Every structure is written in structure tokens, then in C-alpha cells.
Amino acid sequence: VPLAAVGQAAAAAAAAAAASEDGPRLSELEALVAQSRQAGMVVELSVDGELRPYAPEVEQTAFRVVQEALTNVHKHAAGAKAWVRLAHRGAEVAMQVENGPSDAAVADAGLPSGGNGLVGMRERVLALGGVFVSGPTDAGGFRVSAVLPDTSASPGA
């Protein structure tokens, strides 16, 4: 994958997010996945449940978790297949990004890394009362999972 393509996809995603007054929304997740595909990543998206509006901070955090996790796949597991799963469940929304093992010949795309991606994701999720888990998989890949409460839902929903 040419580095320029990855950079262009990231820049396009950032520009789209900046153009939105409230920041990115979960309804933009398909476009984010499409940008990763355009950059050469093999990625599958699955969505369980009906898309519904969440509080802006929940929408933005969920989107950013997926965005950062996909960026990490580009950076650290180039050539690996990725799966993005989103589930709208009761009074919460769950997201997971998992990648398989990378092709050793193309591993580590050489993109700059601030080293704060996982820390930042965890902080965003925990600040909203959510749960965040990340780590290697038994298959040799990596998984990022987060569950965020639907703060706009009424109690007992």
C-alpha cells in the first residue's frame, strides 16, 4: 500500500470530520471503512441492530475508536485483513476492530506513531463510563473492543 494513499485516506477522514459541526457520527462509519479499502486494506464491516442517534459525545467517541483502531492496523499490521463490528444493543453501543496476522513482508507501514492511540481511546471511552479492552489475539492479530452507554437513553431502557 503506498504511504501516500494511506495519508490521503486519513486526511480525507479528518477533513470530513472537521466539516461536521458535531464531529463524526456513526452514520459515517461505512465511509470510513470505504476509505480504508481505497487505501488497500481488506476490511469487512458488520452492523447488528438498528442505527439510532446517540448523544454527540457517544457518536464521536465510537467513531474515533474505530478510526484509530483502523489507523493502527494500517501502521502496525499492513496487509492484514480487518473486521469492524458495530452492535446497537439496548442501552449501549459496542464496537470492535480486529485484524488478523500481518504479512511479514509488508508489516509496519513505517507511518509515524505518537504512541498514544490506545491510551487515548481508553481515556475517551472511560470518560463516558464505558469499557475498553485491547490486546493480541490467539490467531496472531490484535483486537480493540469498546462498549459505550447510550447516555441519551432513559433509565431502564
Side-chain angles (χ1 to χ4, degrees), residues 51-140:
L51 179 65
R52 61 181 189 258
Y54 296 96
E57 62 273 10
V58 171
E59 294 254 357
Q60 292 168 26
T61 298
F63 182 93
R64 294 289 187 214
V65 165
V66 173
Q67 182 181 44
E68 180 64 28
L70 285 173
T71 298
N72 285 348
V73 175
H74 281 290
K75 287 181 181 180
H76 306 295
K81 182 175 181 178
W83 297 267
V84 176
R85 298 173 186 99
L86 182 69
H88 305 281
R89 310 185 299 215
E92 63 187 21
V93 60
M95 69 252 29
Q96 182 179 80
V97 178
E98 181 175 344
N99 62 272
S102 65
D103 180 345
V106 295
D108 195 353
L111 295 171
S113 176
N116 295 317
L118 291 173
V119 172
M121 281 189 270
R122 177 182 305 280
E123 288 174 356
R124 283 176 180 250
V125 170
L126 295 179
L128 295 177
V131 176
F132 181 87
V133 178
S134 66
T137 66
D138 291 340

Side-chain angles (χ1 to χ4, degrees), residues 37-62:
R37 289 179 182 139
Q38 290 171 351
M41 182 186 287
V42 176
V43 58
E44 292 181 14
L45 171 65
S46 65
V47 179
D48 292 326
E50 293 292 321
L51 179 65
R52 61 181 189 258
Y54 296 96
E57 62 273 10
V58 171
E59 294 254 357
Q60 292 168 26
T61 298

